[in-house]
Amino acid sequence: MSNRARLVAILTALATVLSAGYGAIIGGPEGLLGGAARGVIAGLPISLAIGLFEAYVVDGAAGRRLRAAPFAISLFARFVVWSAAIIAGLVLMRWSMPYPNANRAPSFLADIAFSFALLGAASSYLSIDRLLGKGNLWRLMIGRYHRPREESRIFLFLDMEGSTAAAEKLGAPRFLELLASAVLDATPPILESRGDIHRYIGDEIVVTWPIARADDAVKGAMATIAALDTLAPDYTARFGVAPRFRGGLHGGTVAVGEIGDVRREIVYLGDAVNVAKRLETEAGARRARLLVSGDVVAGLRDAGLRARLADLGEIPIAGRAAPLRTYVAEI
């Protein structure tokens, strides 16, 4: 299941259960079970519609302009869609399961107030989670990494080629606009591959996957580079420069923990992170688009994906005593 599908499933299930609980509490002429049924009839389509909109429109290619807009404008546009979904769902509930005694029916305004309160809580959570990196708010809340622990993960370092020359040509503000646009276009294929965007470092994007998702990691890295290549004519028309990214992909055991006080974040430390970065640098030296370590390739299950990786043999990696078996990907 993709990150998007999982998000929709979780939001829909949680909101439907809460709506059923609300319906059971306020009751109505049919009592507890009837109220719960009404909550499900209203909550399921509302949460499903909003979940699909957030996952496949806002986070998808179609929502690029919305994501790039100022936060207030983006929030207002989403609020309009959410409002329409809430009102439509409540009307559907009252039409499909009319109250036998209108005088004893719960207030329509009360239903709207509950729906918007629930939506406001969900929106706040998702907005903060987006700022911290998807999934990180929950990890910080439950203290998953309050004490450092070890995990086996794959890391991708994506770096823009020729960024210094592009910045000199465009000037810092215009170059930052290009970089921000490239990050927006890189995000959908990363999310589709179930990758977590760990951080942005200058013109670099750092992405991570659990070690068991080697296929997703390689597919995601290739798809992201290819997506930006496809958009090269549009960037050339807008900026006179097209962002071209290269990457390095490696996996292994790392230490994970929280760090910071005023600004708290989750960090990964270990050889796997360093080697992924050095593979990205090596890709630039070899004029390759994506280098993949043998450790990642060993975890691949897709034979077709393996066929798109050419074996370079063992190559030296700066700071590492032993050479590393490395493959170059066909983009």
Side-chain angles (χ1 to χ4, degrees), residues 6-120:
R6 189 167 70 249
L7 173 64
V8 173
I10 292 173
L11 286 179
T12 301
L14 182 59
T16 301
V17 169
L18 291 174
S19 295
Y22 165 77
I25 291 171
I26 65 170
E30 295 92 342
L32 188 146
L33 291 180
R38 290 181 184 280
V40 171
I41 292 173
L44 180 60
I46 291 173
S47 57
L48 182 60
I50 292 175
L52 290 172
F53 172 73
E54 289 290 320
Y56 292 93
V57 177
V58 175
D59 280 344
R64 187 188 183 287
R65 287 189 178 183
L66 188 60
R67 298 196 309 274
F71 180 73
I73 295 176
S74 173
L75 184 61
F76 176 76
R78 293 160 71 191
F79 177 78
V80 171
V81 175
W82 298 339
S83 300
I86 287 172
I87 293 172
L90 293 176
V91 169
L92 172 66
M93 178 268 288
R94 290 179 177 247
W95 171 79
S96 61
M97 195 175 177
Y99 287 100
N101 187 342
N103 293 328
R104 295 180 58 196
S107 167
F108 187 69
L109 291 178
D111 291 345
I112 290 180
F114 169 79
S115 298
F116 273 102
L118 184 59
L119 184 59

Side-chain angles (χ1 to χ4, degrees), residues 179-231:
L179 184 60
S181 183
V183 168
L184 282 173
D185 289 323
T187 299
I190 291 173
L191 295 182
E192 191 61 34
S193 69
R194 302 174 67 183
D196 294 326
I197 297 177
H198 173 49
R199 62 182 357 185
Y200 304 108
I201 308 172
D203 60 351
E204 281 187 336
I205 306 172
V206 185
V207 189
T208 181
W209 294 262
I211 197 79
R213 294 180 188 157
D215 286 42
D216 289 335
V218 175
K219 288 177 182 177
M222 295 168 69
T224 303
I225 293 172
L228 290 168
D229 285 353
T230 301
L231 295 170

Side-chain angles (χ1 to χ4, degrees), residues 218 222 288-292 308-310 327-331:
V218 175
M222 295 168 69
R289 303 303 304 285
L290 177 65
L291 292 185
V292 185
R308 297 179 62 184
L309 301 171
Y327 296 75
V328 60
E330 172 194 330
I331 303 297

Side-chain angles (χ1 to χ4, degrees), residues 272-325:
V273 181
N274 300 331
V275 172
K277 169 59 183 171
R278 292 191 172 100
L279 280 177
E280 175 269 306
T281 303
E282 188 67 24
R286 293 173 177 266
R287 298 186 179 278
R289 303 303 304 285
L290 177 65
L291 292 185
V292 185
S293 75
D295 294 349
V296 173
V297 174
L300 293 178
R301 297 182 178 88
D302 188 332
L305 200 55
R306 280 178 176 270
R308 297 179 62 184
L309 301 171
D311 190 350
L312 294 179
E314 294 187 337
I315 66 173
I317 300 294
R320 187 180 170 107
L324 180 69
R325 192 165 200 88

